[in-house]
């Protein structure tokens, strides 16, 4: 919630002031999947988690949250999934690997090698949205709404999701 430092403009003699309440009192995390199928429009499936700093509240996504996102994607897509994972620590935990093995009949997982420095479609989506300027919100709820609004805009523009695959070394084939 701490606003980024950036230059701004204002009327001569009037310093612009952005008021921020609840400084440092929370964060918004997102997990997402860019989904591609030959002959169909690309899709973005995501989950958002707010962290408000309350006792016992999880700060970020746990392996169960990723498992639930994958199951939800299977239901929405209506078929088997080929999942390409980067090397985030959460993707390497034993319970998630056990989930992958237990569901191998509908889930095929490819893990980038640890030294692989490739871009993923998800990274391209995040970078593309970060270029659209700074955002200062008054509270965590406004930040969550802004993130949801941006993600919804991406969902209705499959050409943005398609363009993210271009920057990777991946391709779609039947």
């Amino acid at each position: 919630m701490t606003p980024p430092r950036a230059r701004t403009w204002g009327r001569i003699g009037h310093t612009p002031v952005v008021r921020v309440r609840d400084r440092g009192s929370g964060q918004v995390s997102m997990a997402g999947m860019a989904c591609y199928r030959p002959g169909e429009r690309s899709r973005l499936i995501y989950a958002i988690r707010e962290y408000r700093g309350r006792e016992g509240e999880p700060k970020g996504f746990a392996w169960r949250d990723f498992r639930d996102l994958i199951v939800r994607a299977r239901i929405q897509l209506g078929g088997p999934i080929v999942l390409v994972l980067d090397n985030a620590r959460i993707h390497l935990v034993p319970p998630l690997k056990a989930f992958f093995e237990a569901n191998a009949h509908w889930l095929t997982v490819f893990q980038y090698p640890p030294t692989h420095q490739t871009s993923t479609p998800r990274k391209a989506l995040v970078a593309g949205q970060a270029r659209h300027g700074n955002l200062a919100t008054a509270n965590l709820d406004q930040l969550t709404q802004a993130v949801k609004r941006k993600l919804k805009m991406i969902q209705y523009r499959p050409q943005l999701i398609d363009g993210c695959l271009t920057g990777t070394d991946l391709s779609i084939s039947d």
Side-chain angles (χ1 to χ4, degrees), residues 86-164:
D86 58 10
N87 286 296
R89 273 186 263 156
I90 195 69
H91 298 158
L92 306 173
V93 297
L96 197 56
K97 286 185 177 187
F99 169 75
F100 296 156
E101 292 170 8
N103 293 287
H105 59 283
W106 62 268
L107 180 62
T108 305
V109 179
F110 292 101
Q111 187 91 32
Y112 280 122
T115 58
H116 202 268
Q117 297 297 324
T118 190
S119 179
T120 63
R122 178 193 56 82
K123 290 178 185 175
L125 281 173
V126 171
Q129 291 306 305
R131 282 192 300 262
H132 291 292
N134 294 330
L135 171 68
T137 59
N139 57 41
L140 192 61
D141 294 328
Q142 285 182 357
L143 179 61
T144 303
Q145 287 302 105
V147 169
K148 286 180 180 180
R149 189 171 42 254
K150 286 285 189 182
L151 291 170
K152 188 63 78 174
M153 286 172 47
I154 293 170
Q155 284 184 319
Y156 288 109
R157 294 182 179 158
Q159 67 274 14
L160 286 176
I161 303 169
D162 290 341
C164 293

Side-chain angles (χ1 to χ4, degrees), residues 54-83:
R54 296 182 180 129
E55 189 174 329
E57 181 181 30
K59 189 170 186 177
F61 282 89
W63 72 270
R64 287 181 185 90
D65 299 313
F66 285 104
R67 176 199 63 199
D68 295 345
L69 181 64
I70 293 166
V71 170
R72 197 173 89 216
R74 179 180 185 226
I75 292 168
Q76 287 184 19
L77 298 172
I81 294 178
V82 176
L83 189 62

Side-chain angles (χ1 to χ4, degrees), residues 4-66:
R5 292 181 185 219
R7 293 180 182 251
T8 187
W9 60 272
R11 294 176 54 189
I12 295 177
H14 297 279
T15 304
V17 176
V18 177
R19 303 213 188 285
V20 178
R21 296 186 308 250
D22 300 330
R23 180 182 170 129
S25 66
Q27 69 183 34
V28 177
S29 300
M30 184 210 110
M33 301 169 66
C35 304
Y36 303 95
R37 181 180 286 170
E40 294 186 18
R41 74 175 181 89
S42 302
R43 299 179 65 174
L44 175 67
I45 299 174
Y46 63 88
I48 293 177
R49 175 177 295 262
E50 286 183 344
Y51 171 69
R52 297 184 179 272
R54 296 182 180 129
E55 189 174 329
E57 181 181 30
K59 189 170 186 177
F61 282 89
W63 72 270
R64 287 181 185 90
D65 299 313
F66 285 104

